[in-house]
Amino acid sequence: MADTHRSRYRRYEGGDPLAPPVDIAEALDAIGEDVMAGYSPERAMQEFLRRGGDDRAGLDDLARQVAERRRELLQRHNLDGTLNQVKELLDTAVLEERKQLARDAMMDDADRAFREMRMDNLPDSPAAAVTELADYDWQSSEARAAYEQIKDLLGRELLDQRFAGMKQALENATDEDRAAINEMLTDLNDLLEKHARGEDTQQDFDDFMAKHGEFFPENPRNVDELIDAMAQRAAAAQRMLNSMTPEQRQELMQLSAQAFGSPALMDQLNRLDGNLQALRPGEDWSGSERFGGDEGLGLGDGTGVLQDLADLDQLSDQLSQSYGGARLDDVDLDKLARQLGDQAAVDARRLQELEQALRRSGAMERGFDGELRLTPKAMRQLGKALLRDVAQRMSGRQGQRELRQAGAAGDLSGASRPWAFGDTEPWDIPRTITNAVLREAGEQGPVVEVRGRPRPSLETSGPRVRLSVEDIEVQETEARTQAAVALCVDTSFSMAMDGRWVPMKRTALALHTLIGTRFRGDQLELIGFGRHAETMEIERLTALDARWAKGTNLHHALLLANRHFRKHPTAQPVLLIVTDGEPTSHLEPDGEVFFSYPPHPLTIALAVRELDNARRLGAQTTFFRLGEDPGLARFIDSMARRVDGSVIAPEADDLGAAVVGSYLGSRGPRGRGGPGSYDEWFGGRGFWVG
């Protein structure tokens, strides 16, 4: 068992081990912005990973480096390296032989003339000349050495094509070294052919590695790993041949027979290539590249470059993440470090960690349909950011200031009262301390304590103060009526076509966040209405793709809104309708959708009937009209007058502030008398939006 104790350690490639954990805050902000811009959460995450962060390279940057590296390899190199080396050695051999012939006075003139004639009439093709001189009796020792170098070079290059590093390892090789190579090739081919027949065992592989393991620095653990490594390089060698011109290929094939002065090596290598191609037909054996540089490559180095190009192509595919089920874990960090350097691998590893952190953070999850969605936690974070933007718009335009809600039971009245068991209102600290001081005036000591529960404090020079339960006063709040809010948002074709899709979603999320964090007692129903209407969770509405089906079914939306109001009979109904078109569809008694443009009178009548039902339920109604269509304006105005509602016509960017302002107006003391105009919501007072 030759590899029982073989170590498989390698250099640490994770970058700075003391670097702080990956920060996903920037990523979540960017993903949230893209989601609001209409991207799905999956695509938004992919886009962030692609472009990277402020101080982090993204996939696009790494892919650009891969493309530049590939282009640089092709533009720097050509495939004439081995042929040029052969030509140089051949020219040296011929020149040294001519010199020797001219110096040798003892040589027979006829013999000299014959030899000089052979030198003069050598073929222009280096391969043909080398073959022609195979049986030549060299007179010059320098010429003979140069010619022998040609055969040695060819043998080492051909082996280096299949076994990386063999060219250097066999420099100045002896006959015993060449015999060992021949024996290894014979045993290797026997093992591969036995494996192809299904007759090999792990012991066969272990015996082979024990005998020839020095030729395989990759330390394969079994015959399949051995075949994988060798087939990849052999396929690269074939692609190199495919990339040569026909003349180059012909020269090389003719020269190969002279490797080590015998065709035996080439016979074994051809046998090896045939075995590998049969065992791994899926490798790229037919591809080619176009080289255009000045730096010649030998056969071994050229094969290495072809392998590098194949690695770069794989990295390009992995970094593109364009195939089904793509994950950043697919990126081969070892190859990336080898091709682009350690920093590229560190950047990719950080992106992998970021993707994993995003998936583990609870910010995104997969639904039953397999689609990635923002979780409620992420929606709350995004909603808070949108709500801050709404507050700035509401306060900045009218010089208002942001106020913070205090108390959970209602709005502060300015009065206070003694605390009673069960009270949750905030303490009136000045009144509480004043009560204690007045009651305990004259007592000294460095302890501030609630009676029976002393707590240490800083030394003071004044009298000590003891707080007693009877000293505590709480701030009184006005009772606040709960509201049942129905936000009906138009999801028809025109909303997407006219650029109102994103503001609609931002508005819904801002209102949802406000109610969920500041008015938890209120009940919000989100209703989207296009060709038909449906209630939606905020996560679904936020991730909703633009809909291109025609139809504005206000009738169906009002049916759902009234059902929501009836489910909460003790709450104040608040109806908010965002639309950019007149009703063009309604529900038939059998549940089918009827569509007509221009609007059919029955469609209008059914919408008006449900609006009247909302008024009878006590709903405060506000229409938010988007667009400048005069017909829509007349229709909305008449609908609002019918139910004593109001109309606001904001710009798309101001829609969120308009809806939130209207809702807050309906929640405050003024709102109890009914919603006011757009100017009233933004005039003179701050709202509880902090």
Side-chain angles (χ1 to χ4, degrees):
M1 302 295 291
D3 63 345
T4 301
H5 302 291
R6 185 177 297 141
S7 297
R8 301 184 65 83
Y9 296 106
R10 63 184 181 186
R11 181 167 53 89
Y12 174 71
E13 297 173 344
D16 183 2
L18 301 180
V22 62
D23 183 10
I24 66 173
E26 178 190 6
L28 286 177
D29 289 344
I31 289 171
E33 290 179 7
D34 284 347
V35 168
M36 287 295 98
Y39 290 122
S40 68
E42 181 82 49
R43 183 182 173 192
M45 182 178 71
Q46 292 174 351
E47 287 298 318
F48 179 79
L49 294 173
R50 188 171 301 286
R51 63 178 178 261
D54 294 337
D55 58 351
R56 181 187 298 109
L59 291 175
D60 282 349
D61 185 63
L62 293 174
R64 176 187 55 78
Q65 294 179 50
V66 166
E68 289 177 353
R69 170 65 174 161
R70 194 183 200 285
R71 185 166 54 251
E72 185 261 337
L73 288 175
L74 291 174
Q75 292 177 350
R76 186 204 308 173
H77 299 295
N78 63 58
L79 302 180
D80 290 335
T82 297
L83 295 177
N84 288 337
Q85 283 184 278
V86 169
K87 189 175 186 306
E88 289 174 5
L89 288 170
L90 179 63
D91 290 344
T92 299
V94 171
L95 178 60
E96 292 300 325
E97 183 68 5
R98 289 181 184 277
K99 290 179 180 179
Q100 181 62 35
L101 293 175
R103 289 194 301 264
D104 194 348
M106 303 297 295
M107 181 177 291
D108 180 74
D109 290 343
D111 187 28
R112 178 186 293 110
F114 178 73
R115 291 176 181 276
E116 287 177 345
M117 183 183 65
R118 289 195 67 176
M119 295 297 111
D120 292 339
N121 293 290
L122 286 174
D124 293 333
S125 164
V130 170
T131 303
E132 173 109 1
L133 294 171
D135 60 350
Y136 181 76
D137 181 19
W138 298 93
Q139 298 300 298
S140 166
S141 59
E142 291 84 358
R144 181 181 296 105
Y147 185 79
E148 292 298 326
Q149 284 184 49
I150 292 175
K151 296 188 289 185
D152 183 69
L153 171 67
L154 290 171
R156 290 188 293 121
E157 287 280 16
L158 290 170
L159 285 170
D160 204 39
Q161 275 193 302
R162 280 76 173 180
F163 305 89
M166 194 69 78
K167 179 180 179 181
Q168 292 75 24
L170 288 179
E171 195 168 6
N172 301 318
T174 64
D175 291 339
E176 289 77 11
D177 295 330
R178 297 188 186 96
I181 289 289
N182 188 67
E183 184 180 9
M184 181 272 292
L185 290 173
T186 301
D187 292 345
L188 177 59
N189 278 313
D190 290 343
L191 176 63
L192 297 184
E193 290 164 2
K194 193 174 182 180
H195 180 73
R197 297 192 301 269
E199 299 172 359
D200 67 314
T201 64
Q202 182 66 30
Q203 187 61 49
D204 292 332
F205 171 78
D206 293 338
D207 292 342
F208 174 81
M209 289 300 294
K211 186 176 180 180
H212 304 296
E214 60 184 300
F215 296 107
F216 303 94
E218 304 92 351
N219 289 328
R221 292 171 294 183
N222 51 57
V223 69
D224 284 313
E225 289 189 6
L226 174 66
I227 294 171
D228 287 340
M230 296 203 63
Q232 290 172 8
R233 190 163 180 87
Q238 183 61 50
R239 292 196 300 276
M240 181 180 179
L241 288 176
N242 300 342
S243 303
M244 292 180 173
T245 64
E247 294 77 12
Q248 288 173 325
R249 278 198 299 274
Q250 184 178 358
E251 287 280 302
L252 186 60
M253 297 308 294
Q254 190 172 351
L255 283 169
S256 298
Q258 302 300 321
F260 290 152
S262 168
L265 174 64
M266 201 60 207
D267 291 342
Q268 288 284 12
L269 292 178
N270 287 335
R271 179 185 171 197
L272 176 62
D273 289 344
N275 286 328
L276 291 173
Q277 191 161 356
L279 289 167
R280 292 295 185 270
E283 293 289 340
D284 183 6
W285 300 92
S286 59
S288 63
E289 299 289 349
R290 178 172 296 181
F291 291 84
D294 299 325
E295 185 177 323
L297 290 171
L299 297 182
D301 291 338
T303 298
V305 168
L306 266 295
Q307 276 192 296
D308 288 342
L309 292 172
D311 286 350
L312 291 169
D313 289 340
Q314 289 181 4
L315 288 171
S316 181
D317 289 340
Q318 293 165 4
L319 292 170
S320 73
Q321 297 283 285
S322 58
Y323 49 90
R327 297 286 289 268
L328 282 183
D329 289 342
D330 300 340
V331 178
D332 190 325
L333 299 182
D334 291 336
K335 286 183 180 178
L336 197 62
R338 189 164 59 249
Q339 298 298 333
L340 301 183
D342 292 341
Q343 185 57 48
V346 171
D347 291 339
R349 185 183 295 276
R350 294 294 283 176
L351 289 174
Q352 288 179 346
E353 293 172 352
L354 177 61
E355 182 187 46
Q356 294 166 2
L358 285 169
R359 296 183 186 278
R360 292 195 307 260
S361 67
M364 288 182 286
E365 63 184 4
R366 292 200 178 274
F368 294 113
D369 56 1
E371 293 293 324
L372 198 65
R373 295 194 178 98
L374 294 180
T375 62
K377 174 183 176 181
M379 297 301 299
R380 286 194 297 271
Q381 294 176 348
L382 182 57
K384 289 177 182 177
L386 292 174
L387 198 53
R388 285 193 296 269
D389 179 66
V390 166
Q392 290 172 0
R393 286 181 177 274
M394 293 174 65
S395 62
R397 197 164 294 163
Q398 300 293 338
Q400 297 169 356
R401 58 190 177 87
E402 181 180 340
L403 300 179
R404 296 189 178 274
Q405 177 199 11
D411 301 321
L412 296 176
S413 66
S416 65
R417 58 176 173 79
W419 176 85
F421 181 78
D423 282 341
T424 59
E425 288 81 1
W427 286 16
D428 187 328
I429 300 299
R431 293 296 302 270
T432 298
I433 297 299
T434 299
N435 291 341
V437 170
L438 292 176
R439 187 175 51 77
E440 296 289 343
E443 296 186 18
Q444 302 293 322
V447 174
V448 177
E449 60 181 56
V450 177
R451 181 168 294 171
R453 299 178 63 185
R455 297 183 181 180
S457 68
L458 298 176
E459 293 290 335
T460 62
S461 58
R464 63 184 181 181
V465 178
R466 294 186 178 90
L467 297 183
S468 182
V469 171
E470 55 265 28
D471 300 326
I472 300 173
E473 293 198 21
V474 296
Q475 302 178 43
E476 287 189 331
T477 58
E478 294 181 352
R480 190 167 60 199
T481 305
Q482 289 185 342
V485 185
L487 174 62
C488 303
V489 292
D490 192 340
T491 59
S492 63
F493 170 80
S494 58
M495 289 285 286
M497 182 177 64
D498 295 333
R500 297 162 185 148
W501 194 258
V502 174
M504 174 270 291
K505 293 199 292 184
R506 293 172 65 92
T507 297
L509 181 54
L511 182 62
H512 179 273
T513 302
L514 177 64
I515 292 176
T517 57
R518 296 290 186 265
F519 300 94
R520 294 185 178 90
D522 290 358
Q523 303 296 325
L524 173 64
E525 187 90 310
L526 298 174
I527 302 170
F529 62 99
R531 195 174 185 87
H532 66 278
E534 59 182 318
T535 60
M536 298 183 184
E537 297 295 327
I538 187 60
E539 293 83 7
R540 179 161 176 257
L541 177 60
T542 305
L544 190 67
D545 288 335
R547 294 180 171 181
W548 303 103
K550 295 181 180 180
T552 305
N553 199 333
L554 180 60
H555 167 238
H556 193 184
L558 292 172
L559 282 171
L560 297 177
N562 288 335
R563 185 180 67 181
H564 176 60
F565 297 150
R566 293 187 183 98
K567 287 169 60 178
H568 304 280
T570 62
Q572 168 62 51
V574 177
L575 178 61
L576 308 173
I577 303 172
V578 178
T579 186
D580 69 346
E582 299 175 70
T584 56
S585 61
H586 66 264
L587 280 186
E588 296 282 12
D590 60 0
E592 294 296 320
V593 173
F594 173 87
F595 170 78
S596 173
Y597 184 84
H600 192 279
L602 179 59
T603 300
I604 301 297
L606 290 174
V608 169
R609 185 183 71 184
E610 288 306 316
L611 193 64
D612 288 342
N613 289 337
R615 182 186 184 185
R616 282 190 287 272
L617 291 171
Q620 300 175 9
T621 302
T622 305
F623 288 91
F624 299 88
R625 175 174 55 82
L626 301 175
E628 302 298 331
D629 179 30
L632 174 64
R634 288 191 297 271
F635 172 76
I636 295 295
D637 288 344
S638 64
M639 294 274 280
R641 285 194 301 271
R642 183 181 183 90
V643 294
D644 194 22
S646 60
V647 179
I648 299 175
E651 296 294 330
D653 289 344
D654 290 329
L655 178 61
V659 170
V660 169
S662 178
Y663 164 74
L664 291 170
S666 71
R667 299 299 296 115
R670 296 166 51 225
R672 295 193 184 96
S677 68
Y678 178 75
D679 290 335
E680 284 180 309
W681 304 138
F682 292 94
R685 296 193 183 187
F687 300 106
W688 302 107
V689 297

